[in-house]
Amino acid sequence: FPAQGKPESQSNTDLENAKEYLDKFFPILTKTQSPSLEERIKEMQRFFHLVVTGKLNAETEETMKQPRCGVPDIAD
Amino acid sequence: YRTFPGNPRWKKTHLTYKIVNYTPDLSQKKVDDAIRRAFMVWSDVTPLKFQRVFKGPADIVIQFARGEHGDGYPFDGRGNTLAHAFAPGEGIGGDAHFDEDERWSESNREVNLFLVAAHEFGHSLGLAHSNVRGALMYPLYSYVNPATFRLSEDDRRGIQKLYGRKSS
C-alpha cells in the first residue's frame, strides 16, 4: 500500500501555494529587503482586512482561493 | 482607491476599443453589450467617451485567451485568476484580457462578464486595486446584480481624481 503522506508535506504544499500567491499578487518590490513569509502574509492579511497573524490560517487560505483579478494588489 | 505608480492615465478623453475575439460562452451580441455597459460605468462619471472600432489600432484591445497568450502573464485555467488588464500606455497599455477557461455569463451563474469587464477597464483607465470591500476595484470577484449595479464612492473618487467629473 502507498504510504500515507505526512501532515507536514501537506503543510509544505500549502506554504508553497501561499508563496506563489504572494509572489503574484504581493510581489517584493525592493531588492534590498527580503521580508519573511510571515511578514508577507501579514501584508496580505492587512490588505484584505483579515485578522493579522502572519500565519496561513483558514481565513487567509480561503481568501487566496477566491476568484480574482490577475493584477497585483501591490502595484509594481 | 489606489492608482498605479506614477499615476498613468490617458491624456485624451476620447478613447477607442476593439474586441478582437469572442467567448463561445455567450452570444456575440451579449458580449458586445456587456463590454459597452462596462465602459459606461466609467463614462457616466467622467468626461471620458468610448468608441468601438473594428479595424486598425485601438487604445483598449479586448481579447479572450487561455493559458500563455503572449504577454508573459499566463492564465491559470478555470477559477482563481479571471482576467487582467494593463495600465494606460502605448502598445499593450490599456488592453484587457479575459480567461477563456472561465465560464462567462450574463447572470449570477459562473462569472459575470459585465462585472469583470467593468473592473478590468478600471485598470485600463489607471485605477489599481482598492482595499475597500464592495468597491468595483476590490480584487476579489463577487456577484452583484448588473441591473442595479452602482459604482461605489471609492471607485468614483478614484476615477474622478484621474479624469475629473462629467460636465453636466
Side-chain angles (χ1 to χ4, degrees), chain B residues 16-22 31-32 34-36 38-39 50-53 58-65 84-85 92 94-98 113 117 120-121 124:
Chain B
T16 56
Y17 72 91
K18 183 164 67 175
I19 303 171
V20 298
N21 64 358
Y22 286 88
V31 172
D32 291 346
I35 298 293
R36 184 182 58 80
F39 278 119
F50 299 98
Q51 183 193 358
R52 184 176 177 189
V53 296
D59 299 309
I60 298 168
V61 176
I62 297 156
Q63 65 165 298
F64 292 86
H84 57 220
I92 203 168
D95 293 358
H97 301 163
F98 299 85
L113 179 60
E120 296 308 326
F121 298 156
S124 301

PDB file of all heavy atoms in Angstrom, chain B residues 16-22 31-32 34-36 38-39 50-53 58-65 84-85 92 94-98 113 117 120-121 124:
ATOM      1  N   THR B  16     -10.675  54.718 -27.863  1.00  0.00           N
ATOM      2  CA  THR B  16     -11.239  53.693 -28.746  1.00  0.00           C
ATOM      3  C   THR B  16     -11.003  52.311 -28.142  1.00  0.00           C
ATOM      4  O   THR B  16     -10.039  52.101 -27.400  1.00  0.00           O
ATOM      5  CB  THR B  16     -10.591  53.749 -30.135  1.00  0.00           C
ATOM      6  OG1 THR B  16      -9.171  53.616 -29.989  1.00  0.00           O
ATOM      7  CG2 THR B  16     -10.926  55.045 -30.851  1.00  0.00           C
ATOM      8  N   TYR B  17     -11.895  51.386 -28.441  1.00  0.00           N
ATOM      9  CA  TYR B  17     -11.694  49.993 -28.019  1.00  0.00           C
ATOM     10  C   TYR B  17     -12.034  49.043 -29.150  1.00  0.00           C
ATOM     11  O   TYR B  17     -12.836  49.369 -30.042  1.00  0.00           O
ATOM     12  CB  TYR B  17     -12.497  49.677 -26.754  1.00  0.00           C
ATOM     13  CG  TYR B  17     -13.987  49.555 -26.911  1.00  0.00           C
ATOM     14  CD1 TYR B  17     -14.594  48.334 -27.178  1.00  0.00           C
ATOM     15  CD2 TYR B  17     -14.812  50.656 -26.755  1.00  0.00           C
ATOM     16  CE1 TYR B  17     -15.974  48.211 -27.288  1.00  0.00           C
ATOM     17  CE2 TYR B  17     -16.198  50.556 -26.873  1.00  0.00           C
ATOM     18  CZ  TYR B  17     -16.772  49.331 -27.127  1.00  0.00           C
ATOM     19  OH  TYR B  17     -18.131  49.211 -27.234  1.00  0.00           O
ATOM     20  N   LYS B  18     -11.398  47.900 -29.105  1.00  0.00           N
ATOM     21  CA  LYS B  18     -11.605  46.888 -30.146  1.00  0.00           C
ATOM     22  C   LYS B  18     -11.742  45.518 -29.486  1.00  0.00           C
ATOM     23  O   LYS B  18     -10.957  45.167 -28.607  1.00  0.00           O
ATOM     24  CB  LYS B  18     -10.397  46.904 -31.097  1.00  0.00           C
ATOM     25  CG  LYS B  18     -10.538  45.948 -32.262  1.00  0.00           C
ATOM     26  CD  LYS B  18      -9.538  46.253 -33.370  1.00  0.00           C
ATOM     27  CE  LYS B  18      -8.119  45.992 -32.957  1.00  0.00           C
ATOM     28  NZ  LYS B  18      -7.168  46.179 -34.065  1.00  0.00           N
ATOM     29  N   ILE B  19     -12.737  44.762 -29.912  1.00  0.00           N
ATOM     30  CA  ILE B  19     -12.925  43.391 -29.413  1.00  0.00           C
ATOM     31  C   ILE B  19     -12.359  42.460 -30.487  1.00  0.00           C
ATOM     32  O   ILE B  19     -12.908  42.377 -31.588  1.00  0.00           O
ATOM     33  CB  ILE B  19     -14.419  43.092 -29.155  1.00  0.00           C
ATOM     34  CG1 ILE B  19     -14.997  44.114 -28.170  1.00  0.00           C
ATOM     35  CG2 ILE B  19     -14.598  41.667 -28.641  1.00  0.00           C
ATOM     36  CD1 ILE B  19     -16.518  44.043 -28.011  1.00  0.00           C
ATOM     37  N   VAL B  20     -11.254  41.782 -30.170  1.00  0.00           N
ATOM     38  CA  VAL B  20     -10.594  41.011 -31.225  1.00  0.00           C
ATOM     39  C   VAL B  20     -11.144  39.590 -31.362  1.00  0.00           C
ATOM     40  O   VAL B  20     -11.018  38.988 -32.411  1.00  0.00           O
ATOM     41  CB  VAL B  20      -9.061  40.957 -31.049  1.00  0.00           C
ATOM     42  CG1 VAL B  20      -8.454  42.342 -31.134  1.00  0.00           C
ATOM     43  CG2 VAL B  20      -8.663  40.282 -29.758  1.00  0.00           C
ATOM     44  N   ASN B  21     -11.745  39.054 -30.307  1.00  0.00           N
ATOM     45  CA  ASN B  21     -12.377  37.736 -30.434  1.00  0.00           C
ATOM     46  C   ASN B  21     -13.456  37.592 -29.363  1.00  0.00           C
ATOM     47  O   ASN B  21     -13.626  38.473 -28.511  1.00  0.00           O
ATOM     48  CB  ASN B  21     -11.344  36.609 -30.348  1.00  0.00           C
ATOM     49  CG  ASN B  21     -10.649  36.551 -29.001  1.00  0.00           C
ATOM     50  OD1 ASN B  21     -10.903  37.382 -28.109  1.00  0.00           O
ATOM     51  ND2 ASN B  21      -9.785  35.586 -28.820  1.00  0.00           N
ATOM     52  N   TYR B  22     -14.156  36.484 -29.420  1.00  0.00           N
ATOM     53  CA  TYR B  22     -15.306  36.286 -28.537  1.00  0.00           C
ATOM     54  C   TYR B  22     -15.192  34.972 -27.779  1.00  0.00           C
ATOM     55  O   TYR B  22     -14.543  34.030 -28.229  1.00  0.00           O
ATOM     56  CB  TYR B  22     -16.594  36.274 -29.359  1.00  0.00           C
ATOM     57  CG  TYR B  22     -16.997  37.651 -29.839  1.00  0.00           C
ATOM     58  CD1 TYR B  22     -16.515  38.147 -31.050  1.00  0.00           C
ATOM     59  CD2 TYR B  22     -17.839  38.447 -29.084  1.00  0.00           C
ATOM     60  CE1 TYR B  22     -16.870  39.417 -31.486  1.00  0.00           C
ATOM     61  CE2 TYR B  22     -18.205  39.717 -29.515  1.00  0.00           C
ATOM     62  CZ  TYR B  22     -17.719  40.191 -30.709  1.00  0.00           C
ATOM     63  OH  TYR B  22     -18.070  41.448 -31.137  1.00  0.00           O
ATOM     64  N   VAL B  31     -21.892  39.672 -25.496  1.00  0.00           N
ATOM     65  CA  VAL B  31     -20.538  40.144 -25.155  1.00  0.00           C
ATOM     66  C   VAL B  31     -20.426  41.634 -25.482  1.00  0.00           C
ATOM     67  O   VAL B  31     -19.961  42.434 -24.652  1.00  0.00           O
ATOM     68  CB  VAL B  31     -19.458  39.334 -25.918  1.00  0.00           C
ATOM     69  CG1 VAL B  31     -18.075  39.954 -25.716  1.00  0.00           C
ATOM     70  CG2 VAL B  31     -19.452  37.883 -25.460  1.00  0.00           C
ATOM     71  N   ASP B  32     -20.836  41.994 -26.672  1.00  0.00           N
ATOM     72  CA  ASP B  32     -20.785  43.416 -27.079  1.00  0.00           C
ATOM     73  C   ASP B  32     -21.518  44.294 -26.066  1.00  0.00           C
ATOM     74  O   ASP B  32     -21.041  45.363 -25.686  1.00  0.00           O
ATOM     75  CB  ASP B  32     -21.449  43.600 -28.455  1.00  0.00           C
ATOM     76  CG  ASP B  32     -20.628  42.973 -29.571  1.00  0.00           C
ATOM     77  OD1 ASP B  32     -19.457  42.632 -29.344  1.00  0.00           O
ATOM     78  OD2 ASP B  32     -21.183  42.823 -30.684  1.00  0.00           O
ATOM     79  N   ALA B  34     -22.274  43.607 -22.877  1.00  0.00           N
ATOM     80  CA  ALA B  34     -21.601  43.634 -21.567  1.00  0.00           C
ATOM     81  C   ALA B  34     -20.408  44.595 -21.589  1.00  0.00           C
ATOM     82  O   ALA B  34     -20.192  45.366 -20.641  1.00  0.00           O
ATOM     83  CB  ALA B  34     -21.140  42.227 -21.189  1.00  0.00           C
ATOM     84  N   ILE B  35     -19.653  44.552 -22.669  1.00  0.00           N
ATOM     85  CA  ILE B  35     -18.479  45.429 -22.799  1.00  0.00           C
ATOM     86  C   ILE B  35     -18.925  46.900 -22.878  1.00  0.00           C
ATOM     87  O   ILE B  35     -18.358  47.771 -22.207  1.00  0.00           O
ATOM     88  CB  ILE B  35     -17.663  45.052 -24.068  1.00  0.00           C
ATOM     89  CG1 ILE B  35     -17.142  43.606 -23.975  1.00  0.00           C
ATOM     90  CG2 ILE B  35     -16.542  46.053 -24.334  1.00  0.00           C
ATOM     91  CD1 ILE B  35     -16.122  43.336 -22.928  1.00  0.00           C
ATOM     92  N   ARG B  36     -19.937  47.151 -23.650  1.00  0.00           N
ATOM     93  CA  ARG B  36     -20.432  48.530 -23.805  1.00  0.00           C
ATOM     94  C   ARG B  36     -20.903  49.083 -22.459  1.00  0.00           C
ATOM     95  O   ARG B  36     -20.569  50.203 -22.071  1.00  0.00           O
ATOM     96  CB  ARG B  36     -21.584  48.532 -24.819  1.00  0.00           C
ATOM     97  CG  ARG B  36     -22.142  49.911 -25.162  1.00  0.00           C
ATOM     98  CD  ARG B  36     -23.309  49.806 -26.127  1.00  0.00           C
ATOM     99  NE  ARG B  36     -24.398  48.979 -25.610  1.00  0.00           N
ATOM    100  CZ  ARG B  36     -25.318  49.385 -24.737  1.00  0.00           C
ATOM    101  NH1 ARG B  36     -25.289  50.621 -24.297  1.00  0.00           N
ATOM    102  NH2 ARG B  36     -26.267  48.568 -24.312  1.00  0.00           N
ATOM    103  N   ALA B  38     -20.009  48.040 -19.546  1.00  0.00           N
ATOM    104  CA  ALA B  38     -18.869  48.143 -18.617  1.00  0.00           C
ATOM    105  C   ALA B  38     -18.124  49.469 -18.828  1.00  0.00           C
ATOM    106  O   ALA B  38     -17.688  50.104 -17.865  1.00  0.00           O
ATOM    107  CB  ALA B  38     -17.925  46.954 -18.825  1.00  0.00           C
ATOM    108  N   PHE B  39     -18.009  49.892 -20.065  1.00  0.00           N
ATOM    109  CA  PHE B  39     -17.383  51.201 -20.313  1.00  0.00           C
ATOM    110  C   PHE B  39     -18.267  52.330 -19.792  1.00  0.00           C
ATOM    111  O   PHE B  39     -17.773  53.349 -19.291  1.00  0.00           O
ATOM    112  CB  PHE B  39     -17.118  51.389 -21.814  1.00  0.00           C
ATOM    113  CG  PHE B  39     -15.848  50.730 -22.283  1.00  0.00           C
ATOM    114  CD1 PHE B  39     -15.869  49.739 -23.247  1.00  0.00           C
ATOM    115  CD2 PHE B  39     -14.612  51.107 -21.761  1.00  0.00           C
ATOM    116  CE1 PHE B  39     -14.701  49.119 -23.683  1.00  0.00           C
ATOM    117  CE2 PHE B  39     -13.428  50.501 -22.186  1.00  0.00           C
ATOM    118  CZ  PHE B  39     -13.481  49.505 -23.155  1.00  0.00           C
ATOM    119  N   PHE B  50     -16.108  56.523 -25.032  1.00  0.00           N
ATOM    120  CA  PHE B  50     -15.534  55.307 -25.606  1.00  0.00           C
ATOM    121  C   PHE B  50     -16.201  55.001 -26.943  1.00  0.00           C
ATOM    122  O   PHE B  50     -17.431  54.970 -27.034  1.00  0.00           O
ATOM    123  CB  PHE B  50     -15.721  54.131 -24.647  1.00  0.00           C
ATOM    124  CG  PHE B  50     -15.043  54.340 -23.332  1.00  0.00           C
ATOM    125  CD1 PHE B  50     -15.764  54.790 -22.226  1.00  0.00           C
ATOM    126  CD2 PHE B  50     -13.677  54.121 -23.185  1.00  0.00           C
ATOM    127  CE1 PHE B  50     -15.145  55.001 -21.012  1.00  0.00           C
ATOM    128  CE2 PHE B  50     -13.050  54.337 -21.971  1.00  0.00           C
ATOM    129  CZ  PHE B  50     -13.787  54.774 -20.880  1.00  0.00           C
ATOM    130  N   GLN B  51     -15.374  54.774 -27.927  1.00  0.00           N
ATOM    131  CA  GLN B  51     -15.888  54.449 -29.250  1.00  0.00           C
ATOM    132  C   GLN B  51     -15.332  53.103 -29.695  1.00  0.00           C
ATOM    133  O   GLN B  51     -14.116  52.865 -29.628  1.00  0.00           O
ATOM    134  CB  GLN B  51     -15.483  55.528 -30.253  1.00  0.00           C
ATOM    135  CG  GLN B  51     -16.050  55.273 -31.628  1.00  0.00           C
ATOM    136  CD  GLN B  51     -15.412  56.155 -32.689  1.00  0.00           C
ATOM    137  OE1 GLN B  51     -14.554  56.989 -32.393  1.00  0.00           O
ATOM    138  NE2 GLN B  51     -15.824  55.949 -33.931  1.00  0.00           N
ATOM    139  N   ARG B  52     -16.210  52.257 -30.158  1.00  0.00           N
ATOM    140  CA  ARG B  52     -15.748  50.952 -30.635  1.00  0.00           C
ATOM    141  C   ARG B  52     -15.223  51.075 -32.060  1.00  0.00           C
ATOM    142  O   ARG B  52     -15.833  51.734 -32.901  1.00  0.00           O
ATOM    143  CB  ARG B  52     -16.902  49.945 -30.588  1.00  0.00           C
ATOM    144  CG  ARG B  52     -16.433  48.565 -30.980  1.00  0.00           C
ATOM    145  CD  ARG B  52     -17.539  47.553 -30.854  1.00  0.00           C
ATOM    146  NE  ARG B  52     -17.040  46.258 -31.306  1.00  0.00           N
ATOM    147  CZ  ARG B  52     -17.786  45.191 -31.500  1.00  0.00           C
ATOM    148  NH1 ARG B  52     -19.086  45.262 -31.275  1.00  0.00           N
ATOM    149  NH2 ARG B  52     -17.258  44.066 -31.914  1.00  0.00           N
ATOM    150  N   VAL B  53     -14.077  50.445 -32.327  1.00  0.00           N
ATOM    151  CA  VAL B  53     -13.550  50.388 -33.689  1.00  0.00           C
ATOM    152  C   VAL B  53     -13.405  48.917 -34.073  1.00  0.00           C
ATOM    153  O   VAL B  53     -13.271  48.046 -33.209  1.00  0.00           O
ATOM    154  CB  VAL B  53     -12.198  51.130 -33.826  1.00  0.00           C
ATOM    155  CG1 VAL B  53     -12.364  52.611 -33.563  1.00  0.00           C
ATOM    156  CG2 VAL B  53     -11.142  50.540 -32.896  1.00  0.00           C
ATOM    157  N   ALA B  58      -6.352  50.412 -31.580  1.00  0.00           N
ATOM    158  CA  ALA B  58      -7.322  50.933 -30.610  1.00  0.00           C
ATOM    159  C   ALA B  58      -6.576  51.143 -29.295  1.00  0.00           C
ATOM    160  O   ALA B  58      -5.571  50.479 -29.032  1.00  0.00           O
ATOM    161  CB  ALA B  58      -8.470  49.955 -30.427  1.00  0.00           C
ATOM    162  N   ASP B  59      -7.071  52.060 -28.498  1.00  0.00           N
ATOM    163  CA  ASP B  59      -6.417  52.293 -27.191  1.00  0.00           C
ATOM    164  C   ASP B  59      -6.566  51.066 -26.295  1.00  0.00           C
ATOM    165  O   ASP B  59      -5.620  50.632 -25.655  1.00  0.00           O
ATOM    166  CB  ASP B  59      -7.051  53.515 -26.513  1.00  0.00           C
ATOM    167  CG  ASP B  59      -6.884  54.776 -27.335  1.00  0.00           C
ATOM    168  OD1 ASP B  59      -5.738  55.054 -27.732  1.00  0.00           O
ATOM    169  OD2 ASP B  59      -7.893  55.450 -27.606  1.00  0.00           O
ATOM    170  N   ILE B  60      -7.763  50.523 -26.247  1.00  0.00           N
ATOM    171  CA  ILE B  60      -8.039  49.373 -25.369  1.00  0.00           C
ATOM    172  C   ILE B  60      -8.420  48.174 -26.241  1.00  0.00           C
ATOM    173  O   ILE B  60      -9.474  48.192 -26.900  1.00  0.00           O
ATOM    174  CB  ILE B  60      -9.165  49.708 -24.366  1.00  0.00           C
ATOM    175  CG1 ILE B  60      -8.719  50.869 -23.469  1.00  0.00           C
ATOM    176  CG2 ILE B  60      -9.550  48.482 -23.537  1.00  0.00           C
ATOM    177  CD1 ILE B  60      -9.836  51.478 -22.626  1.00  0.00           C
ATOM    178  N   VAL B  61      -7.551  47.182 -26.271  1.00  0.00           N
ATOM    179  CA  VAL B  61      -7.805  45.987 -27.077  1.00  0.00           C
ATOM    180  C   VAL B  61      -8.281  44.879 -26.137  1.00  0.00           C
ATOM    181  O   VAL B  61      -7.639  44.594 -25.121  1.00  0.00           O
ATOM    182  CB  VAL B  61      -6.536  45.560 -27.848  1.00  0.00           C
ATOM    183  CG1 VAL B  61      -6.775  44.257 -28.605  1.00  0.00           C
ATOM    184  CG2 VAL B  61      -6.099  46.667 -28.805  1.00  0.00           C
ATOM    185  N   ILE B  62      -9.412  44.286 -26.486  1.00  0.00           N
ATOM    186  CA  ILE B  62     -10.059  43.301 -25.609  1.00  0.00           C
ATOM    187  C   ILE B  62      -9.981  41.929 -26.256  1.00  0.00           C
ATOM    188  O   ILE B  62     -10.319  41.778 -27.441  1.00  0.00           O
ATOM    189  CB  ILE B  62     -11.537  43.706 -25.400  1.00  0.00           C
ATOM    190  CG1 ILE B  62     -11.601  45.056 -24.688  1.00  0.00           C
ATOM    191  CG2 ILE B  62     -12.307  42.628 -24.633  1.00  0.00           C
ATOM    192  CD1 ILE B  62     -12.884  45.814 -24.921  1.00  0.00           C
ATOM    193  N   GLN B  63      -9.528  40.940 -25.498  1.00  0.00           N
ATOM    194  CA  GLN B  63      -9.497  39.581 -26.056  1.00  0.00           C
ATOM    195  C   GLN B  63      -9.766  38.526 -25.000  1.00  0.00           C
ATOM    196  O   GLN B  63      -9.545  38.753 -23.804  1.00  0.00           O
ATOM    197  CB  GLN B  63      -8.154  39.309 -26.731  1.00  0.00           C
ATOM    198  CG  GLN B  63      -6.967  39.298 -25.798  1.00  0.00           C
ATOM    199  CD  GLN B  63      -5.736  38.663 -26.458  1.00  0.00           C
ATOM    200  OE1 GLN B  63      -5.735  37.487 -26.823  1.00  0.00           O
ATOM    201  NE2 GLN B  63      -4.701  39.462 -26.624  1.00  0.00           N
ATOM    202  N   PHE B  64     -10.254  37.391 -25.459  1.00  0.00           N
ATOM    203  CA  PHE B  64     -10.399  36.202 -24.622  1.00  0.00           C
ATOM    204  C   PHE B  64      -9.244  35.276 -24.978  1.00  0.00           C
ATOM    205  O   PHE B  64      -8.956  35.060 -26.159  1.00  0.00           O
ATOM    206  CB  PHE B  64     -11.737  35.510 -24.894  1.00  0.00           C
ATOM    207  CG  PHE B  64     -12.916  36.317 -24.432  1.00  0.00           C
ATOM    208  CD1 PHE B  64     -13.478  37.295 -25.249  1.00  0.00           C
ATOM    209  CD2 PHE B  64     -13.456  36.115 -23.168  1.00  0.00           C
ATOM    210  CE1 PHE B  64     -14.560  38.049 -24.818  1.00  0.00           C
ATOM    211  CE2 PHE B  64     -14.539  36.866 -22.731  1.00  0.00           C
ATOM    212  CZ  PHE B  64     -15.090  37.831 -23.556  1.00  0.00           C
ATOM    213  N   ALA B  65      -8.583  34.739 -23.958  1.00  0.00           N
ATOM    214  CA  ALA B  65      -7.425  33.878 -24.224  1.00  0.00           C
ATOM    215  C   ALA B  65      -7.277  32.899 -23.073  1.00  0.00           C
ATOM    216  O   ALA B  65      -7.770  33.139 -21.964  1.00  0.00           O
ATOM    217  CB  ALA B  65      -6.168  34.728 -24.360  1.00  0.00           C
ATOM    218  N   HIS B  84      -7.175  40.031 -16.585  1.00  0.00           N
ATOM    219  CA  HIS B  84      -6.232  41.074 -16.176  1.00  0.00           C
ATOM    220  C   HIS B  84      -6.219  42.191 -17.222  1.00  0.00           C
ATOM    221  O   HIS B  84      -6.705  41.993 -18.332  1.00  0.00           O
ATOM    222  CB  HIS B  84      -4.821  40.528 -15.903  1.00  0.00           C
ATOM    223  CG  HIS B  84      -4.183  39.801 -17.047  1.00  0.00           C
ATOM    224  ND1 HIS B  84      -3.430  38.654 -16.893  1.00  0.00           N
ATOM    225  CD2 HIS B  84      -4.187  40.031 -18.381  1.00  0.00           C
ATOM    226  CE1 HIS B  84      -3.005  38.234 -18.062  1.00  0.00           C
ATOM    227  NE2 HIS B  84      -3.440  39.042 -18.990  1.00  0.00           N
ATOM    228  N   ALA B  85      -5.685  43.325 -16.830  1.00  0.00           N
ATOM    229  CA  ALA B  85      -5.623  44.447 -17.769  1.00  0.00           C
ATOM    230  C   ALA B  85      -4.404  45.290 -17.435  1.00  0.00           C
ATOM    231  O   ALA B  85      -3.860  45.208 -16.324  1.00  0.00           O
ATOM    232  CB  ALA B  85      -6.896  45.283 -17.678  1.00  0.00           C
ATOM    233  N   ILE B  92       0.590  47.571 -25.469  1.00  0.00           N
ATOM    234  CA  ILE B  92      -0.299  46.716 -24.663  1.00  0.00           C
ATOM    235  C   ILE B  92      -1.002  47.503 -23.543  1.00  0.00           C
ATOM    236  O   ILE B  92      -1.970  47.018 -22.954  1.00  0.00           O
ATOM    237  CB  ILE B  92       0.497  45.525 -24.086  1.00  0.00           C
ATOM    238  CG1 ILE B  92      -0.447  44.372 -23.748  1.00  0.00           C
ATOM    239  CG2 ILE B  92       1.333  45.955 -22.880  1.00  0.00           C
ATOM    240  CD1 ILE B  92       0.270  43.076 -23.443  1.00  0.00           C
ATOM    241  N   GLY B  94      -3.408  49.526 -21.452  1.00  0.00           N
ATOM    242  CA  GLY B  94      -4.860  49.669 -21.546  1.00  0.00           C
ATOM    243  C   GLY B  94      -5.584  48.403 -21.968  1.00  0.00           C
ATOM    244  O   GLY B  94      -6.807  48.298 -21.804  1.00  0.00           O
ATOM    245  N   ASP B  95      -4.858  47.427 -22.500  1.00  0.00           N
ATOM    246  CA  ASP B  95      -5.524  46.228 -23.027  1.00  0.00           C
ATOM    247  C   ASP B  95      -6.081  45.361 -21.896  1.00  0.00           C
ATOM    248  O   ASP B  95      -5.525  45.309 -20.790  1.00  0.00           O
ATOM    249  CB  ASP B  95      -4.546  45.398 -23.869  1.00  0.00           C
ATOM    250  CG  ASP B  95      -4.142  46.132 -25.144  1.00  0.00           C
ATOM    251  OD1 ASP B  95      -4.650  47.248 -25.366  1.00  0.00           O
ATOM    252  OD2 ASP B  95      -3.313  45.599 -25.902  1.00  0.00           O
ATOM    253  N   ALA B  96      -7.169  44.669 -22.202  1.00  0.00           N
ATOM    254  CA  ALA B  96      -7.844  43.828 -21.207  1.00  0.00           C
ATOM    255  C   ALA B  96      -7.986  42.408 -21.754  1.00  0.00           C
ATOM    256  O   ALA B  96      -8.454  42.230 -22.883  1.00  0.00           O
ATOM    257  CB  ALA B  96      -9.218  44.406 -20.868  1.00  0.00           C
ATOM    258  N   HIS B  97      -7.557  41.442 -20.953  1.00  0.00           N
ATOM    259  CA  HIS B  97      -7.604  40.033 -21.365  1.00  0.00           C
ATOM    260  C   HIS B  97      -8.494  39.249 -20.404  1.00  0.00           C
ATOM    261  O   HIS B  97      -8.370  39.388 -19.182  1.00  0.00           O
ATOM    262  CB  HIS B  97      -6.189  39.433 -21.347  1.00  0.00           C
ATOM    263  CG  HIS B  97      -5.224  40.131 -22.253  1.00  0.00           C
ATOM    264  ND1 HIS B  97      -3.860  39.988 -22.154  1.00  0.00           N
ATOM    265  CD2 HIS B  97      -5.445  40.986 -23.289  1.00  0.00           C
ATOM    266  CE1 HIS B  97      -3.272  40.715 -23.085  1.00  0.00           C
ATOM    267  NE2 HIS B  97      -4.207  41.343 -23.785  1.00  0.00           N
ATOM    268  N   PHE B  98      -9.345  38.395 -20.957  1.00  0.00           N
ATOM    269  CA  PHE B  98     -10.276  37.585 -20.154  1.00  0.00           C
ATOM    270  C   PHE B  98      -9.946  36.108 -20.347  1.00  0.00           C
ATOM    271  O   PHE B  98      -9.737  35.663 -21.484  1.00  0.00           O
ATOM    272  CB  PHE B  98     -11.722  37.884 -20.580  1.00  0.00           C
ATOM    273  CG  PHE B  98     -12.097  39.322 -20.359  1.00  0.00           C
ATOM    274  CD1 PHE B  98     -11.804  40.289 -21.323  1.00  0.00           C
ATOM    275  CD2 PHE B  98     -12.696  39.718 -19.178  1.00  0.00           C
ATOM    276  CE1 PHE B  98     -12.121  41.627 -21.110  1.00  0.00           C
ATOM    277  CE2 PHE B  98     -13.014  41.048 -18.951  1.00  0.00           C
ATOM    278  CZ  PHE B  98     -12.728  42.008 -19.921  1.00  0.00           C
ATOM    279  N   LEU B 113     -19.645  38.529 -16.922  1.00  0.00           N
ATOM    280  CA  LEU B 113     -18.690  39.246 -17.782  1.00  0.00           C
ATOM    281  C   LEU B 113     -18.735  40.755 -17.558  1.00  0.00           C
ATOM    282  O   LEU B 113     -17.690  41.405 -17.494  1.00  0.00           O
ATOM    283  CB  LEU B 113     -18.963  38.916 -19.256  1.00  0.00           C
ATOM    284  CG  LEU B 113     -18.053  39.627 -20.258  1.00  0.00           C
ATOM    285  CD1 LEU B 113     -16.583  39.272 -20.030  1.00  0.00           C
ATOM    286  CD2 LEU B 113     -18.463  39.300 -21.688  1.00  0.00           C
ATOM    287  N   ALA B 117     -15.502  42.880 -16.597  1.00  0.00           N
ATOM    288  CA  ALA B 117     -15.050  43.853 -17.596  1.00  0.00           C
ATOM    289  C   ALA B 117     -14.995  45.259 -16.999  1.00  0.00           C
ATOM    290  O   ALA B 117     -14.030  45.997 -17.220  1.00  0.00           O
ATOM    291  CB  ALA B 117     -15.973  43.819 -18.812  1.00  0.00           C
ATOM    292  N   GLU B 120     -11.897  45.425 -14.964  1.00  0.00           N
ATOM    293  CA  GLU B 120     -10.674  45.467 -15.785  1.00  0.00           C
ATOM    294  C   GLU B 120     -10.510  46.816 -16.469  1.00  0.00           C
ATOM    295  O   GLU B 120      -9.395  47.333 -16.583  1.00  0.00           O
ATOM    296  CB  GLU B 120     -10.683  44.341 -16.820  1.00  0.00           C
ATOM    297  CG  GLU B 120     -10.666  42.935 -16.227  1.00  0.00           C
ATOM    298  CD  GLU B 120      -9.564  42.702 -15.213  1.00  0.00           C
ATOM    299  OE1 GLU B 120      -8.467  43.277 -15.351  1.00  0.00           O
ATOM    300  OE2 GLU B 120      -9.816  41.960 -14.241  1.00  0.00           O
ATOM    301  N   PHE B 121     -11.604  47.399 -16.914  1.00  0.00           N
ATOM    302  CA  PHE B 121     -11.498  48.703 -17.579  1.00  0.00           C
ATOM    303  C   PHE B 121     -11.081  49.791 -16.572  1.00  0.00           C
ATOM    304  O   PHE B 121     -10.510  50.800 -16.968  1.00  0.00           O
ATOM    305  CB  PHE B 121     -12.809  49.066 -18.275  1.00  0.00           C
ATOM    306  CG  PHE B 121     -13.185  48.084 -19.371  1.00  0.00           C
ATOM    307  CD1 PHE B 121     -14.507  47.930 -19.769  1.00  0.00           C
ATOM    308  CD2 PHE B 121     -12.223  47.312 -20.002  1.00  0.00           C
ATOM    309  CE1 PHE B 121     -14.853  47.024 -20.772  1.00  0.00           C
ATOM    310  CE2 PHE B 121     -12.555  46.398 -21.001  1.00  0.00           C
ATOM    311  CZ  PHE B 121     -13.873  46.251 -21.382  1.00  0.00           C
ATOM    312  N   SER B 124      -7.573  49.607 -17.035  1.00  0.00           N
ATOM    313  CA  SER B 124      -7.234  50.181 -18.347  1.00  0.00           C
ATOM    314  C   SER B 124      -7.188  51.711 -18.277  1.00  0.00           C
ATOM    315  O   SER B 124      -6.508  52.352 -19.063  1.00  0.00           O
ATOM    316  CB  SER B 124      -8.284  49.786 -19.398  1.00  0.00           C
ATOM    317  OG  SER B 124      -8.376  48.388 -19.513  1.00  0.00           O
TER     318      SER B 124
END
